[in-house]
Amino acid sequence: MFVLVNLKAYAADAVGIATTAREVSEESGVRIAVAPQAARLAAVADTGVETWAQHVSPVEHGSHTGSTLAEAAAMAGADGTLINHSERRLRLADIDGALDAAERAELETIVCANNPAQVGAAAALGPDAVAVEPPELIGGDVSVSQADPDIVEDAVAAAEAVDDSVDVLCGAGISSGEDLDAAGELGAEGVLLASGVAKADDPRAALADLVEPLS
Ligand SMILES: O=C[C@H](O)COP(=O)(O)O
């Protein structure tokens, strides 16, 4: 299972969480990555943790003020990027363009989607993985794998019907090892989570609890 911790724009200690994530990953053998704000990519990558961008823009080098250039994210140390997160939605053509940009910069990609139909459409664009996240469960206390198991199973089926090489992650409300275990049982290859770690009083304990069933 892949655990991707998205720090969003939370007032979190990005370097502290990244260092902890690297340590927990090494101790448990579980793949854990951290996605900080673009301006903190280099600082997070310097900790040695697998580092992901939260977004890249569908642009090449040129006159694109305010964009997040995929090449710049890669140069700062990003290994991969989220695209079309629920809080950073893109139009279809821009998802495609962002995937092209990520491919040029050799970034691994996860395209986010609200539901299984969008998962199928996203998988058709050829990302490495898709992540299904019901927006109404994001930031809540109940995990998608417990509250809406069907959406995870349907997302896995939808991606498989289009391209069985595209992995499926799920996200929203994931915070415990039990949630992670349930996601795996439903066919997900990983989880995308944020508040469960970024807002935790003790991010180390939160991460350790999360990966406990896999250790
Ligand atoms: O990117 C992460 C997801 O939006 C899930 O956020 P959450 O774990 O706070 O529900």
Side-chain angles (χ1 to χ4, degrees):
M1 291 288 271
F2 178 32
V3 175
L4 177 49
V5 180
N6 177 8
L7 300 181
K8 302 194 174 184
Y10 285 124
D13 172 8
V15 168
I17 289 178
T19 304
T20 299
R22 177 181 53 75
E23 290 167 356
V24 173
S25 176
E26 285 169 1
E27 286 157 17
S28 64
V30 178
R31 181 183 174 195
I32 304 177
V34 174
Q37 285 283 300
R40 304 306 312 280
L41 280 168
V44 163
D46 277 352
T47 68
V49 78
E50 181 176 332
T51 303
W52 279 57
Q54 296 180 6
H55 163 79
V56 292
S57 306
V59 300
E60 301 181 9
H61 285 286
S63 50
H64 305 292
T65 304
S67 57
T68 303
L69 186 68
E71 284 82 351
M75 205 173 290
D79 302 293
T81 185
L82 293 172
I83 291 172
N84 195 46
H85 189 278
S86 192
E87 293 148 10
R88 194 65 175 83
R89 281 284 179 242
L90 299 174
R91 288 179 293 194
L92 186 63
D94 290 337
I95 297 173
D96 205 21
L99 280 165
D100 287 345
E103 191 178 337
R104 261 193 346 255
E106 297 183 359
L107 295 172
E108 196 172 330
T109 51
I110 295 176
V111 174
C112 300
N114 285 358
N115 55 48
Q118 288 182 17
V119 163
L125 297 175
D128 294 301
V130 294
V132 64
E133 293 199 309
E136 66 279 9
L137 296 176
I138 292 177
D141 294 330
V142 185
S143 76
V144 59
S145 48
Q146 313 268 1
D148 199 349
D150 289 352
I151 205 172
V152 181
E153 286 185 321
D154 291 350
V156 171
E160 210 170 80
V162 173
D163 181 347
D164 64 9
S165 72
V166 175
D167 286 342
V168 176
L169 286 76
C170 65
I174 305 267
S175 66
S176 68
E178 203 182 329
D179 300 333
L180 189 82
D181 217 21
E185 291 291 320
L186 296 166
E189 306 276 351
V191 294
L192 178 57
L193 78 156
S195 48
V197 171
K199 294 173 76 176
D201 292 334
D202 184 346
R204 171 176 288 277
L207 279 167
D209 176 49
L210 201 67
V211 302
E212 204 272 329
L214 304 176
S215 306

mmCIF file of all heavy atoms in Angstrom, residues 11-47:
data_model
loop_
_atom_site.group_PDB
_atom_site.id
_atom_site.type_symbol
_atom_site.label_atom_id
_atom_site.label_comp_id
_atom_site.label_asym_id
_atom_site.label_seq_id
_atom_site.Cartn_x
_atom_site.Cartn_y
_atom_site.Cartn_z
ATOM 1 N N ALA A 11 -1.489 24.617 8.470
ATOM 2 C CA ALA A 11 -0.386 25.225 9.230
ATOM 3 C C ALA A 11 0.405 24.115 9.903
ATOM 4 O O ALA A 11 0.486 24.040 11.127
ATOM 5 C CB ALA A 11 -0.944 26.194 10.265
ATOM 6 N N ALA A 12 0.965 23.243 9.081
ATOM 7 C CA ALA A 12 1.686 22.077 9.616
ATOM 8 C C ALA A 12 3.190 22.307 9.480
ATOM 9 O O ALA A 12 3.627 23.085 8.627
ATOM 10 C CB ALA A 12 1.273 20.833 8.832
ATOM 11 N N ASP A 13 3.947 21.586 10.285
ATOM 12 C CA ASP A 13 5.415 21.632 10.195
ATOM 13 C C ASP A 13 5.823 20.662 9.084
ATOM 14 O O ASP A 13 6.023 19.470 9.325
ATOM 15 C CB ASP A 13 5.998 21.225 11.553
ATOM 16 C CG ASP A 13 7.513 21.049 11.499
ATOM 17 O OD1 ASP A 13 8.134 21.378 10.473
ATOM 18 O OD2 ASP A 13 8.062 20.564 12.514
ATOM 19 N N ALA A 14 5.952 21.207 7.872
ATOM 20 C CA ALA A 14 6.170 20.342 6.707
ATOM 21 C C ALA A 14 7.451 19.518 6.841
ATOM 22 O O ALA A 14 7.456 18.308 6.568
ATOM 23 C CB ALA A 14 6.209 21.184 5.435
ATOM 24 N N VAL A 15 8.529 20.164 7.272
ATOM 25 C CA VAL A 15 9.804 19.439 7.369
ATOM 26 C C VAL A 15 9.752 18.410 8.498
ATOM 27 O O VAL A 15 10.245 17.286 8.354
ATOM 28 C CB VAL A 15 10.967 20.442 7.555
ATOM 29 C CG1 VAL A 15 12.253 19.733 7.943
ATOM 30 C CG2 VAL A 15 11.166 21.236 6.257
ATOM 31 N N GLY A 16 9.116 18.777 9.615
ATOM 32 C CA GLY A 16 8.992 17.833 10.732
ATOM 33 C C GLY A 16 8.177 16.606 10.323
ATOM 34 O O GLY A 16 8.572 15.467 10.607
ATOM 35 N N ILE A 17 7.054 16.842 9.650
ATOM 36 C CA ILE A 17 6.214 15.704 9.231
ATOM 37 C C ILE A 17 6.949 14.871 8.179
ATOM 38 O O ILE A 17 6.903 13.638 8.193
ATOM 39 C CB ILE A 17 4.851 16.209 8.709
ATOM 40 C CG1 ILE A 17 4.027 16.744 9.890
ATOM 41 C CG2 ILE A 17 4.093 15.093 7.971
ATOM 42 C CD1 ILE A 17 2.678 17.326 9.525
ATOM 43 N N ALA A 18 7.661 15.551 7.278
ATOM 44 C CA ALA A 18 8.399 14.820 6.236
ATOM 45 C C ALA A 18 9.471 13.931 6.864
ATOM 46 O O ALA A 18 9.642 12.765 6.476
ATOM 47 C CB ALA A 18 9.028 15.809 5.264
ATOM 48 N N THR A 19 10.185 14.465 7.847
ATOM 49 C CA THR A 19 11.239 13.686 8.514
ATOM 50 C C THR A 19 10.624 12.470 9.206
ATOM 51 O O THR A 19 11.120 11.343 9.103
ATOM 52 C CB THR A 19 11.979 14.574 9.539
ATOM 53 O OG1 THR A 19 12.483 15.714 8.850
ATOM 54 C CG2 THR A 19 13.119 13.832 10.210
ATOM 55 N N THR A 20 9.515 12.712 9.903
ATOM 56 C CA THR A 20 8.822 11.615 10.585
ATOM 57 C C THR A 20 8.321 10.576 9.582
ATOM 58 O O THR A 20 8.436 9.367 9.809
ATOM 59 C CB THR A 20 7.630 12.187 11.376
ATOM 60 O OG1 THR A 20 8.137 13.095 12.345
ATOM 61 C CG2 THR A 20 6.847 11.099 12.067
ATOM 62 N N ALA A 21 7.775 11.054 8.475
ATOM 63 C CA ALA A 21 7.247 10.134 7.455
ATOM 64 C C ALA A 21 8.373 9.265 6.893
ATOM 65 O O ALA A 21 8.201 8.061 6.680
ATOM 66 C CB ALA A 21 6.569 10.919 6.341
ATOM 67 N N ARG A 22 9.534 9.873 6.660
ATOM 68 C CA ARG A 22 10.668 9.081 6.156
ATOM 69 C C ARG A 22 11.064 8.013 7.177
ATOM 70 O O ARG A 22 11.267 6.847 6.834
ATOM 71 C CB ARG A 22 11.865 9.984 5.863
ATOM 72 C CG ARG A 22 13.091 9.201 5.405
ATOM 73 C CD ARG A 22 14.299 10.071 5.119
ATOM 74 N NE ARG A 22 14.675 10.969 6.189
ATOM 75 C CZ ARG A 22 15.298 10.614 7.324
ATOM 76 N NH1 ARG A 22 15.613 9.352 7.541
ATOM 77 N NH2 ARG A 22 15.594 11.504 8.250
ATOM 78 N N GLU A 23 11.100 8.405 8.450
ATOM 79 C CA GLU A 23 11.505 7.451 9.492
ATOM 80 C C GLU A 23 10.492 6.316 9.614
ATOM 81 O O GLU A 23 10.865 5.139 9.674
ATOM 82 C CB GLU A 23 11.664 8.178 10.837
ATOM 83 C CG GLU A 23 12.873 9.099 10.850
ATOM 84 C CD GLU A 23 12.890 10.059 12.048
ATOM 85 O OE1 GLU A 23 11.918 10.079 12.847
ATOM 86 O OE2 GLU A 23 13.867 10.812 12.145
ATOM 87 N N VAL A 24 9.202 6.669 9.635
ATOM 88 C CA VAL A 24 8.165 5.629 9.771
ATOM 89 C C VAL A 24 8.188 4.709 8.549
ATOM 90 O O VAL A 24 8.010 3.497 8.648
ATOM 91 C CB VAL A 24 6.768 6.254 9.984
ATOM 92 C CG1 VAL A 24 5.671 5.197 9.960
ATOM 93 C CG2 VAL A 24 6.724 7.037 11.297
ATOM 94 N N SER A 25 8.443 5.299 7.386
ATOM 95 C CA SER A 25 8.524 4.502 6.166
ATOM 96 C C SER A 25 9.690 3.512 6.267
ATOM 97 O O SER A 25 9.540 2.323 5.941
ATOM 98 C CB SER A 25 8.700 5.430 4.960
ATOM 99 O OG SER A 25 8.861 4.680 3.793
ATOM 100 N N GLU A 26 10.834 3.998 6.717
ATOM 101 C CA GLU A 26 12.011 3.112 6.841
ATOM 102 C C GLU A 26 11.764 2.017 7.879
ATOM 103 O O GLU A 26 12.098 0.856 7.668
ATOM 104 C CB GLU A 26 13.246 3.936 7.226
ATOM 105 C CG GLU A 26 13.797 4.730 6.053
ATOM 106 C CD GLU A 26 14.867 5.755 6.470
ATOM 107 O OE1 GLU A 26 15.200 5.837 7.684
ATOM 108 O OE2 GLU A 26 15.336 6.463 5.583
ATOM 109 N N GLU A 27 11.131 2.400 9.006
ATOM 110 C CA GLU A 27 10.907 1.417 10.084
ATOM 111 C C GLU A 27 9.886 0.355 9.677
ATOM 112 O O GLU A 27 10.017 -0.811 10.030
ATOM 113 C CB GLU A 27 10.392 2.139 11.335
ATOM 114 C CG GLU A 27 11.475 2.945 12.061
ATOM 115 C CD GLU A 27 10.883 4.074 12.920
ATOM 116 O OE1 GLU A 27 9.656 4.048 13.217
ATOM 117 O OE2 GLU A 27 11.634 4.991 13.266
ATOM 118 N N SER A 28 8.859 0.777 8.934
ATOM 119 C CA SER A 28 7.744 -0.134 8.635
ATOM 120 C C SER A 28 7.878 -0.832 7.284
ATOM 121 O O SER A 28 7.218 -1.838 7.027
ATOM 122 C CB SER A 28 6.432 0.658 8.638
ATOM 123 O OG SER A 28 6.455 1.630 7.593
ATOM 124 N N GLY A 29 8.703 -0.242 6.406
ATOM 125 C CA GLY A 29 8.799 -0.785 5.051
ATOM 126 C C GLY A 29 7.630 -0.376 4.170
ATOM 127 O O GLY A 29 7.493 -0.855 3.048
ATOM 128 N N VAL A 30 6.779 0.524 4.670
ATOM 129 C CA VAL A 30 5.623 0.978 3.881
ATOM 130 C C VAL A 30 6.016 2.230 3.090
ATOM 131 O O VAL A 30 6.691 3.121 3.607
ATOM 132 C CB VAL A 30 4.422 1.313 4.811
ATOM 133 C CG1 VAL A 30 3.239 1.832 3.994
ATOM 134 C CG2 VAL A 30 4.023 0.071 5.604
ATOM 135 N N ARG A 31 5.605 2.270 1.836
ATOM 136 C CA ARG A 31 5.906 3.444 1.003
ATOM 137 C C ARG A 31 5.053 4.627 1.474
ATOM 138 O O ARG A 31 3.826 4.575 1.419
ATOM 139 C CB ARG A 31 5.597 3.111 -0.463
ATOM 140 C CG ARG A 31 5.909 4.250 -1.408
ATOM 141 C CD ARG A 31 5.528 3.903 -2.845
ATOM 142 N NE ARG A 31 5.705 5.041 -3.723
ATOM 143 C CZ ARG A 31 5.194 5.143 -4.946
ATOM 144 N NH1 ARG A 31 4.457 4.141 -5.439
ATOM 145 N NH2 ARG A 31 5.407 6.221 -5.677
ATOM 146 N N ILE A 32 5.726 5.683 1.950
ATOM 147 C CA ILE A 32 5.021 6.885 2.420
ATOM 148 C C ILE A 32 5.616 8.092 1.698
ATOM 149 O O ILE A 32 6.847 8.247 1.653
ATOM 150 C CB ILE A 32 5.166 7.095 3.943
ATOM 151 C CG1 ILE A 32 4.689 5.867 4.717
ATOM 152 C CG2 ILE A 32 4.393 8.336 4.388
ATOM 153 C CD1 ILE A 32 4.880 5.975 6.236
ATOM 154 N N ALA A 33 4.759 8.940 1.155
ATOM 155 C CA ALA A 33 5.217 10.173 0.501
ATOM 156 C C ALA A 33 4.483 11.356 1.110
ATOM 157 O O ALA A 33 3.408 11.209 1.700
ATOM 158 C CB ALA A 33 4.968 10.103 -0.995
ATOM 159 N N VAL A 34 5.087 12.539 0.958
ATOM 160 C CA VAL A 34 4.497 13.773 1.496
ATOM 161 C C VAL A 34 4.372 14.795 0.374
ATOM 162 O O VAL A 34 5.313 14.996 -0.406
ATOM 163 C CB VAL A 34 5.385 14.329 2.634
ATOM 164 C CG1 VAL A 34 4.872 15.689 3.102
ATOM 165 C CG2 VAL A 34 5.422 13.355 3.808
ATOM 166 N N ALA A 35 3.197 15.442 0.302
ATOM 167 C CA ALA A 35 2.952 16.478 -0.711
ATOM 168 C C ALA A 35 2.777 17.825 -0.007
ATOM 169 O O ALA A 35 1.713 18.110 0.548
ATOM 170 C CB ALA A 35 1.709 16.135 -1.525
ATOM 171 N N PRO A 36 3.830 18.655 0.003
ATOM 172 C CA PRO A 36 3.742 19.961 0.669
ATOM 173 C C PRO A 36 3.294 21.040 -0.317
ATOM 174 O O PRO A 36 3.085 20.764 -1.501
ATOM 175 C CB PRO A 36 5.196 20.211 1.080
ATOM 176 C CG PRO A 36 5.980 19.613 -0.056
ATOM 177 C CD PRO A 36 5.176 18.420 -0.553
ATOM 178 N N GLN A 37 3.200 22.256 0.169
ATOM 179 C CA GLN A 37 3.029 23.409 -0.700
ATOM 180 C C GLN A 37 4.205 23.469 -1.681
ATOM 181 O O GLN A 37 5.325 23.064 -1.343
ATOM 182 C CB GLN A 37 3.024 24.686 0.150
ATOM 183 C CG GLN A 37 1.740 24.896 0.925
ATOM 184 C CD GLN A 37 0.645 25.417 0.006
ATOM 185 O OE1 GLN A 37 0.788 26.472 -0.596
ATOM 186 N NE2 GLN A 37 -0.440 24.686 -0.100
ATOM 187 N N ALA A 38 3.968 24.014 -2.887
ATOM 188 C CA ALA A 38 5.025 24.052 -3.909
ATOM 189 C C ALA A 38 6.293 24.734 -3.395
ATOM 190 O O ALA A 38 7.408 24.283 -3.674
ATOM 191 C CB ALA A 38 4.509 24.761 -5.158
ATOM 192 N N ALA A 39 6.106 25.778 -2.607
ATOM 193 C CA ALA A 39 7.273 26.536 -2.128
ATOM 194 C C ALA A 39 8.095 25.751 -1.116
ATOM 195 O O ALA A 39 9.217 26.148 -0.784
ATOM 196 C CB ALA A 39 6.816 27.865 -1.513
ATOM 197 N N ARG A 40 7.555 24.634 -0.598
ATOM 198 C CA ARG A 40 8.283 23.823 0.393
ATOM 199 C C ARG A 40 8.783 22.505 -0.190
ATOM 200 O O ARG A 40 9.285 21.650 0.543
ATOM 201 C CB ARG A 40 7.397 23.531 1.612
ATOM 202 C CG ARG A 40 6.805 24.731 2.321
ATOM 203 C CD ARG A 40 7.812 25.791 2.753
ATOM 204 N NE ARG A 40 8.990 25.308 3.447
ATOM 205 C CZ ARG A 40 9.034 24.975 4.753
ATOM 206 N NH1 ARG A 40 7.953 25.075 5.485
ATOM 207 N NH2 ARG A 40 10.144 24.555 5.313
ATOM 208 N N LEU A 41 8.655 22.330 -1.512
ATOM 209 C CA LEU A 41 9.059 21.047 -2.108
ATOM 210 C C LEU A 41 10.525 20.719 -1.807
ATOM 211 O O LEU A 41 10.857 19.609 -1.391
ATOM 212 C CB LEU A 41 8.833 21.061 -3.626
ATOM 213 C CG LEU A 41 7.391 20.815 -4.088
ATOM 214 C CD1 LEU A 41 7.249 21.141 -5.576
ATOM 215 C CD2 LEU A 41 6.979 19.366 -3.824
ATOM 216 N N ALA A 42 11.401 21.693 -2.023
ATOM 217 C CA ALA A 42 12.839 21.416 -1.848
ATOM 218 C C ALA A 42 13.153 21.090 -0.384
ATOM 219 O O ALA A 42 13.916 20.157 -0.104
ATOM 220 C CB ALA A 42 13.667 22.600 -2.323
ATOM 221 N N ALA A 43 12.548 21.842 0.538
ATOM 222 C CA ALA A 43 12.825 21.601 1.967
ATOM 223 C C ALA A 43 12.352 20.208 2.362
ATOM 224 O O ALA A 43 13.025 19.499 3.127
ATOM 225 C CB ALA A 43 12.121 22.663 2.813
ATOM 226 N N VAL A 44 11.203 19.799 1.847
ATOM 227 C CA VAL A 44 10.677 18.470 2.169
ATOM 228 C C VAL A 44 11.523 17.380 1.500
ATOM 229 O O VAL A 44 11.883 16.376 2.124
ATOM 230 C CB VAL A 44 9.186 18.383 1.766
ATOM 231 C CG1 VAL A 44 8.701 16.940 1.687
ATOM 232 C CG2 VAL A 44 8.338 19.160 2.779
ATOM 233 N N ALA A 45 11.890 17.605 0.239
ATOM 234 C CA ALA A 45 12.711 16.606 -0.468
ATOM 235 C C ALA A 45 14.055 16.422 0.220
ATOM 236 O O ALA A 45 14.601 15.314 0.256
ATOM 237 C CB ALA A 45 12.904 17.024 -1.923
ATOM 238 N N ASP A 46 14.578 17.494 0.802
ATOM 239 C CA ASP A 46 15.873 17.419 1.497
ATOM 240 C C ASP A 46 15.843 16.466 2.691
ATOM 241 O O ASP A 46 16.889 16.025 3.155
ATOM 242 C CB ASP A 46 16.291 18.811 2.004
ATOM 243 C CG ASP A 46 16.967 19.619 0.898
ATOM 244 O OD1 ASP A 46 17.235 19.042 -0.174
ATOM 245 O OD2 ASP A 46 17.199 20.827 1.121
ATOM 246 N N THR A 47 14.668 16.162 3.230
ATOM 247 C CA THR A 47 14.589 15.227 4.362
ATOM 248 C C THR A 47 14.799 13.785 3.908
ATOM 249 O O THR A 47 14.978 12.894 4.729
ATOM 250 C CB THR A 47 13.207 15.290 5.064
ATOM 251 O OG1 THR A 47 12.210 14.768 4.165
ATOM 252 C CG2 THR A 47 12.847 16.702 5.481
#
